[in-house]
Short mmCIF file of all heavy atoms in Angstrom, two decimals:
data_model
loop_
_atom_site.label_atom_id
_atom_site.label_comp_id
_atom_site.label_asym_id
_atom_site.label_seq_id
_atom_site.Cartn_x
_atom_site.Cartn_y
_atom_site.Cartn_z
N GLY R 201 -8.69 -6.67 24.86
CA GLY R 201 -9.10 -7.25 26.12
C GLY R 201 -10.56 -7.04 26.37
O GLY R 201 -11.32 -6.68 25.47
N LEU R 202 -10.96 -7.29 27.59
CA LEU R 202 -12.34 -7.13 28.03
C LEU R 202 -12.49 -5.79 28.73
O LEU R 202 -11.72 -5.46 29.63
CB LEU R 202 -12.73 -8.26 28.98
CG LEU R 202 -14.12 -8.21 29.60
CD1 LEU R 202 -15.19 -8.33 28.52
CD2 LEU R 202 -14.27 -9.31 30.63
N VAL R 203 -13.47 -5.03 28.30
CA VAL R 203 -13.70 -3.71 28.86
C VAL R 203 -15.19 -3.47 29.01
O VAL R 203 -16.00 -3.99 28.23
CB VAL R 203 -13.04 -2.62 27.99
CG1 VAL R 203 -13.70 -2.55 26.62
CG2 VAL R 203 -13.08 -1.26 28.68
N GLN R 204 -15.55 -2.69 30.00
CA GLN R 204 -16.94 -2.34 30.22
C GLN R 204 -17.39 -1.27 29.22
O GLN R 204 -16.60 -0.44 28.79
CB GLN R 204 -17.12 -1.83 31.65
CG GLN R 204 -18.56 -1.59 32.07
CD GLN R 204 -18.66 -1.12 33.51
OE1 GLN R 204 -17.73 -0.53 34.04
NE2 GLN R 204 -19.80 -1.36 34.13
N ALA R 205 -18.66 -1.32 28.85
CA ALA R 205 -19.20 -0.29 27.97
C ALA R 205 -18.92 1.09 28.54
O ALA R 205 -19.07 1.33 29.74
CB ALA R 205 -20.70 -0.48 27.78
N GLY R 206 -18.50 1.99 27.66
CA GLY R 206 -18.12 3.33 28.07
C GLY R 206 -16.65 3.48 28.37
O GLY R 206 -16.17 4.62 28.51
N GLY R 207 -15.94 2.38 28.44
CA GLY R 207 -14.53 2.42 28.72
C GLY R 207 -13.68 2.67 27.50
O GLY R 207 -14.19 2.90 26.40
N SER R 208 -12.37 2.60 27.69
CA SER R 208 -11.42 2.90 26.63
C SER R 208 -10.35 1.83 26.54
O SER R 208 -10.02 1.17 27.53
CB SER R 208 -10.74 4.25 26.89
OG SER R 208 -11.67 5.32 26.89
N LEU R 209 -9.82 1.67 25.36
CA LEU R 209 -8.68 0.83 25.10
C LEU R 209 -7.81 1.50 24.05
O LEU R 209 -8.31 2.24 23.21
CB LEU R 209 -9.08 -0.55 24.57
CG LEU R 209 -9.69 -1.56 25.53
CD1 LEU R 209 -10.18 -2.78 24.75
CD2 LEU R 209 -8.69 -1.98 26.59
N ARG R 210 -6.52 1.23 24.10
CA ARG R 210 -5.63 1.66 23.04
C ARG R 210 -4.95 0.44 22.45
O ARG R 210 -4.23 -0.28 23.15
CB ARG R 210 -4.56 2.64 23.53
CG ARG R 210 -3.77 3.24 22.37
CD ARG R 210 -2.72 4.25 22.80
NE ARG R 210 -1.55 3.61 23.39
CZ ARG R 210 -0.35 4.18 23.47
NH1 ARG R 210 -0.17 5.41 23.00
NH2 ARG R 210 0.64 3.54 24.03
N LEU R 211 -5.19 0.23 21.17
CA LEU R 211 -4.56 -0.85 20.45
C LEU R 211 -3.26 -0.36 19.83
O LEU R 211 -3.17 0.77 19.36
CB LEU R 211 -5.47 -1.39 19.35
CG LEU R 211 -6.86 -1.85 19.77
CD1 LEU R 211 -7.60 -2.44 18.57
CD2 LEU R 211 -6.79 -2.85 20.91
N SER R 212 -2.27 -1.22 19.82
CA SER R 212 -1.00 -0.92 19.19
C SER R 212 -0.71 -1.94 18.11
O SER R 212 -1.07 -3.11 18.24
CB SER R 212 0.14 -0.93 20.22
OG SER R 212 -0.04 0.08 21.20
N CYS R 213 -0.06 -1.50 17.07
CA CYS R 213 0.37 -2.36 15.98
C CYS R 213 1.85 -2.13 15.78
O CYS R 213 2.26 -1.08 15.27
CB CYS R 213 -0.42 -2.05 14.71
SG CYS R 213 0.14 -2.92 13.24
N ALA R 214 2.65 -3.08 16.21
CA ALA R 214 4.09 -2.97 16.11
C ALA R 214 4.59 -3.72 14.87
O ALA R 214 4.24 -4.88 14.66
CB ALA R 214 4.75 -3.53 17.36
N ALA R 215 5.39 -3.05 14.08
CA ALA R 215 5.92 -3.64 12.87
C ALA R 215 7.37 -4.05 13.07
O ALA R 215 8.13 -3.39 13.78
CB ALA R 215 5.82 -2.66 11.70
N SER R 216 7.74 -5.14 12.42
CA SER R 216 9.12 -5.60 12.44
C SER R 216 9.46 -6.18 11.08
O SER R 216 8.59 -6.46 10.27
CB SER R 216 9.33 -6.65 13.53
OG SER R 216 8.53 -7.80 13.31
N GLY R 217 10.74 -6.34 10.82
CA GLY R 217 11.18 -6.87 9.55
C GLY R 217 11.20 -5.85 8.43
O GLY R 217 11.52 -6.19 7.28
N GLY R 218 10.87 -4.63 8.73
CA GLY R 218 10.84 -3.56 7.75
C GLY R 218 10.15 -2.35 8.33
O GLY R 218 9.44 -2.44 9.33
N THR R 219 10.33 -1.23 7.69
CA THR R 219 9.70 0.00 8.15
C THR R 219 8.35 0.19 7.48
O THR R 219 8.13 -0.26 6.35
CB THR R 219 10.59 1.22 7.86
OG1 THR R 219 10.76 1.37 6.44
CG2 THR R 219 11.95 1.06 8.52
N ILE R 220 7.46 0.88 8.17
CA ILE R 220 6.13 1.16 7.64
C ILE R 220 5.99 2.62 7.25
O ILE R 220 4.89 3.08 6.97
CB ILE R 220 5.03 0.79 8.65
CG1 ILE R 220 5.18 1.61 9.93
CG2 ILE R 220 5.06 -0.71 8.95
CD1 ILE R 220 4.00 1.47 10.88
N ASN R 221 7.10 3.34 7.21
CA ASN R 221 7.03 4.78 7.00
C ASN R 221 6.49 5.18 5.65
O ASN R 221 6.07 6.33 5.47
CB ASN R 221 8.41 5.40 7.23
CG ASN R 221 9.45 4.95 6.23
OD1 ASN R 221 9.63 5.56 5.19
ND2 ASN R 221 10.12 3.85 6.53
N THR R 222 6.48 4.28 4.69
CA THR R 222 5.94 4.58 3.36
C THR R 222 4.56 3.97 3.13
O THR R 222 4.01 4.12 2.04
CB THR R 222 6.88 4.10 2.25
OG1 THR R 222 6.98 2.68 2.28
CG2 THR R 222 8.26 4.72 2.41
N TYR R 223 4.01 3.31 4.13
CA TYR R 223 2.78 2.56 3.95
C TYR R 223 1.57 3.27 4.53
O TYR R 223 1.62 3.77 5.65
CB TYR R 223 2.88 1.20 4.62
CG TYR R 223 4.00 0.31 4.15
CD1 TYR R 223 4.53 -0.64 5.01
CD2 TYR R 223 4.51 0.41 2.88
CE1 TYR R 223 5.55 -1.48 4.60
CE2 TYR R 223 5.54 -0.41 2.45
CZ TYR R 223 6.06 -1.36 3.32
OH TYR R 223 7.08 -2.18 2.91
N THR R 224 0.49 3.27 3.77
CA THR R 224 -0.81 3.55 4.35
C THR R 224 -1.18 2.39 5.26
O THR R 224 -0.99 1.23 4.90
CB THR R 224 -1.87 3.73 3.26
OG1 THR R 224 -1.56 4.90 2.49
CG2 THR R 224 -3.26 3.87 3.85
N MET R 225 -1.71 2.71 6.44
CA MET R 225 -2.04 1.69 7.42
C MET R 225 -3.53 1.75 7.76
O MET R 225 -4.14 2.81 7.75
CB MET R 225 -1.24 1.89 8.71
CG MET R 225 0.27 1.91 8.51
SD MET R 225 0.94 0.29 8.01
CE MET R 225 0.59 -0.68 9.49
#
């Protein structure tokens, strides 16, 4: 999204169709 300089954001990456437990991300 849009954020002011100095602010914070948290990005999420949701996986489906399989597990990512064995993958480097």
Side-chain angles (χ1 to χ4, degrees):
L202 176 64
V203 65
Q204 188 179 25
S208 298
L209 286 173
R210 189 179 75 158
L211 305 184
S212 297
C213 174
S216 61
T219 63
I220 61 170
N221 65 91
T222 64
Y223 302 153
T224 294
M225 304 292 294

